[in-house]
Amino acid sequence: MIRSILPGFASALVLAAGLAAPLPAFAGNLYGLVIGIDDYQHITDLKGAVNDARDVAGTLEKLEARKVILLTDADATRDKVFAAWRELTELAGPGDTLVFHYAGHGARQEAILTGHEELDNMFLLAGFDETGPGVNERIIDNEVGHLLAEEKEATVVFVADSCFAGDMARAADLSAEVHVRVADVQIDTSSDRIAERVRQLGEVQEDALRNVIWLYAQDRNKVTQEVRIGDGLRGALSYAFSRSLEGEADADDDGVLNTAELKRYINTSVKRHTERRQRPEVNSGSRDLEILLQDAVDAPAPETGLPELTLYTEPGTILPSLSGIRKVDSKEEADLIYDGDGSSLVYKTGDVIASFPAPPSAETLQTTVDKWRFLAFLIGFAESEGPDLDLSDGSRTYSEGEQVTFSIRSSGNENVVLFNLASNGAVQLVGPVRRGKRGLAAGKLRPGRTDSFRSAVIPPFGADHLIAITTPSPLPDLVDAVQDAQQNNDLAALAEELKHTLNGQPFGLDWVGLYTRAKGDLQ
């Protein structure tokens, strides 16, 4: 849980990301090369990359793409990838859009071209091996650049749902089966035919990539996890990319998706589905991407009540009767994992989200589960952009007694309701809490500036979530709904009140998880 200390203000930090004027609305043809690899012949398998590829390919087909080439598992060979891309580039012309999507393992090796970078990133194909012919079943990032640069006229979208090195933002609990899309490999140079080709190609000129939009699942220093979304394991970037093409990223509802909208939506969606373990990167050349979305699928109707979650327990574990929970037989199917001794609850990302001094009562476990059902409701309730809510010291695990600084920034919406959901599901209104005051205490944000407040880490430990809802005008009913939930812990009623109060209202929504532990506990 967090204890608020002093609402305060941080100095404004405004980062300007300039985008060129957009091109005319997408009216050309759409093409896609989509690759997904789970079944690796010589290194660790994955579980969700093929799910990603099928989803992205299906979305492109719903958008009436002229041609989509889907390569999964053993079909994803180096020769087929290069041939498929060149087939598509021969078809594409001015005004067209080409999507190159890869979901699978990434890795690093010592740089082939000296003087530019110390390490090369590479994408590992199904037949990759560290020695022998399989060494050549990989694609170096420099080669990818040259491939994309071959397309001179169309806009190219490159989506890499993998990672190349690094560690996790927070340590993962071993009771969760966490699959990461990075492989630690050593290349046998005696079998390598690719290095010489890379030397012959040389560096790709930046200007040759001016038509490329780059989407990476993770920054350079963290790993990409597969997470359960819907009925299966997925890559959060691929999932967000598919939904963005289906219209969910179209913030102004003009039927056109541009680069700025894509970037905002991807960042928000990936962070929410991974509990901020992933922070994707979206970069563009000197042109903007626009895709006409009128033919995209309709968004599904919103569900009523709190969503159902799945739960895994070790065989023989006695579990109290819980509502909103469906037991499953494997950890891969589970949103929540209840450990064998009943002392903790683990989320699908590998995070310990609640710790209990003894096996919990049915009421304690139910309120904890309902907290995560409420967060699942929030994910479906609004994928739109924030405010931008964050922790000043990143997404690590904080220890009892530590001071934590939250920051919040909104470009336009000036009224905010802030409340905390403790690991045990308790609701705590943070603001507005005082009349006649300024800033967060009065539920006011300064437009375009960053405000902050400090808190202290206190029991219970696990995962707190600070939630911010911004609106152009004050909504007293929203404050009343949070205060009611603070008294009765009825998160289902709070969800219904949010839907009712915010119906037809412009609003922003964001939240950030604060992961905590008792002093002296291991990270």
Side-chain angles (χ1 to χ4, degrees):
M1 181 175 283
I2 64 172
R3 179 176 61 217
S4 181
I5 298 177
L6 290 173
F9 299 104
S11 59
L13 178 63
V14 181
L15 300 178
L19 288 172
L23 295 173
F26 174 85
N29 297 315
L30 181 63
Y31 300 91
L33 170 57
V34 184
I35 303 162
I37 306 168
D38 287 336
D39 187 11
Y40 281 89
Q41 298 166 22
H42 305 290
I43 59 175
T44 306
D45 286 344
L46 293 172
K47 299 288 186 178
V50 172
N51 288 338
D52 289 341
R54 289 172 177 160
D55 185 22
V56 171
T59 295
L60 294 175
E61 289 169 353
K62 291 173 187 175
L63 288 165
E64 299 183 350
R66 284 287 297 273
K67 189 174 184 66
V68 178
I69 300 176
L70 174 63
L71 300 176
T72 62
D73 291 337
D75 281 338
T77 66
R78 180 181 166 91
D79 288 345
K80 286 185 178 180
V81 169
F82 279 67
W85 182 249
R86 285 175 177 143
E87 177 183 347
L88 295 179
T89 58
E90 289 177 2
L91 294 172
D96 292 344
T97 297
L98 278 75
V99 173
F100 189 142
H101 170 275
Y102 172 84
H105 275 308
R108 281 181 175 172
Q109 69 168 80
E110 184 177 348
I112 297 171
L113 296 175
T114 58
H116 179 59
E117 293 180 326
E118 294 183 1
L119 297 171
D120 284 333
N121 296 328
M122 52 187 175
F123 303 94
L124 306 184
L125 302 173
F128 172 81
D129 200 356
E130 293 181 295
T131 187
V135 163
N136 301 296
E137 285 300 306
R138 74 193 200 281
I139 303 175
I140 308 296
D141 55 0
N142 177 271
E143 295 182 283
V144 172
H146 280 281
L147 273 178
L148 303 185
E150 291 177 2
E151 178 49 57
K152 306 295 185 184
E153 299 173 321
T155 297
V156 176
V157 186
F158 179 70
V159 185
D161 203 340
S162 63
C163 58
F164 307 104
D167 54 13
M168 293 187 178
R170 299 181 298 271
D173 188 273
L174 295 179
S175 61
E177 291 187 4
V178 176
H179 301 275
V180 297
R181 293 183 176 180
V182 61
D184 183 11
V185 300
Q186 299 294 323
I187 300 297
D188 177 9
T189 57
S190 66
S191 305
D192 186 11
R193 302 194 312 270
I194 294 175
E196 181 57 32
R197 181 177 187 275
V198 171
R199 294 188 189 98
Q200 291 174 358
L201 287 171
E203 296 288 355
V204 62
Q205 298 301 310
E206 185 174 341
D207 187 61
L209 301 171
R210 61 187 297 269
N211 298 337
V212 179
I213 311 299
W214 307 84
L215 284 75
Y216 287 96
Q218 185 65 288
D219 65 31
R220 292 171 180 259
N221 301 314
K222 296 290 184 288
V223 299
T224 297
Q225 292 179 231
E226 296 185 325
V227 294
R228 187 175 182 275
I229 302 176
D231 294 330
L233 289 175
R234 297 294 309 273
L237 175 66
S238 297
Y239 180 84
F241 180 62
S242 289
R243 304 294 79 76
S244 67
L245 293 183
E246 291 177 353
E248 291 190 18
D250 184 15
D252 55 9
D253 293 321
D254 66 349
V256 176
L257 174 64
N258 61 45
T259 305
E261 290 174 322
L262 182 66
K263 184 172 185 176
R264 287 194 297 265
Y265 179 86
I266 292 291
N267 285 333
T268 298
S269 180
V270 170
K271 286 191 294 185
R272 289 178 178 178
H273 282 291
T274 64
E275 274 295 290
R276 300 196 181 220
R277 283 180 173 270
Q278 281 181 231
R279 292 179 181 265
E281 292 187 352
V282 180
N283 301 303
S284 65
S286 59
R287 302 173 70 186
D288 194 15
L289 165 72
E290 290 196 342
I291 299 178
L292 193 64
L293 297 174
Q294 274 85 344
D295 293 328
V297 297
D298 294 330
E303 297 180 359
T304 58
L306 295 181
E308 180 184 73
L309 298 183
T310 53
L311 176 72
Y312 172 82
T313 62
E314 295 290 342
T317 301
I318 298 175
L319 188 70
S321 178
L322 300 171
S323 62
I325 284 294
R326 176 170 57 87
K327 292 188 67 176
V328 292
D329 296 328
S330 73
K331 294 178 181 178
E332 290 179 358
E333 299 176 84
D335 297 307
L336 305 172
I337 300 166
Y338 184 65
D339 71 358
D341 62 8
S343 64
S344 64
L345 195 64
V346 179
Y347 192 50
K348 60 189 178 184
T349 55
D351 291 300
V352 176
I353 57 176
S355 298
F356 311 109
S361 65
E363 180 181 2
T364 299
L365 194 55
Q366 183 69 64
T367 56
T368 304
V369 165
D370 283 348
K371 177 249 177 84
W372 288 89
R373 295 175 63 205
F374 184 82
L375 290 175
F377 154 75
L378 290 184
I379 291 175
F381 181 54
E383 288 276 14
S384 59
E385 58 183 298
D388 185 13
L389 189 63
D390 216 338
L391 290 162
S392 60
D393 201 19
S395 299
R396 62 181 180 87
T397 303
Y398 293 79
S399 182
E400 180 180 8
E402 276 196 81
Q403 305 295 307
V404 182
T405 301
F406 292 93
S407 64
I408 181 170
R409 182 181 183 277
S410 177
S411 59
N413 295 323
E414 298 183 42
N415 295 273
V416 62
V417 175
L418 280 167
F419 62 98
N420 181 55
L421 277 183
S423 61
N424 61 1
V427 177
Q428 174 190 12
L429 180 67
V430 177
V433 293
R434 288 180 286 178
R435 294 182 179 179
K437 299 291 182 179
R438 298 180 61 196
L440 295 177
K444 290 285 187 178
L445 295 176
R446 297 177 295 177
R449 302 187 67 180
T450 299
D451 296 303
S452 67
F453 70 94
R454 290 181 295 154
S455 298
V457 175
I458 60 175
F461 305 111
D464 283 49
H465 282 77
L466 187 70
I467 299 168
I469 302 174
T470 53
T471 55
S473 302
L475 290 180
D477 289 349
L478 187 58
V479 179
D480 291 343
V482 175
Q483 288 179 322
D484 288 344
Q486 187 169 275
Q487 296 297 319
N488 57 34
N489 281 336
D490 190 343
L491 293 178
L494 178 58
E496 291 302 316
E497 282 298 321
L498 290 183
K499 288 189 288 187
H500 173 74
T501 304
L502 296 172
N503 182 37
Q505 298 274 353
F507 69 94
L509 173 64
D510 198 18
W511 62 93
V512 60
L514 172 65
Y515 287 83
T516 64
R517 58 186 172 90
K519 189 178 297 183
D521 284 357
L522 295 177
Q523 178 91 15

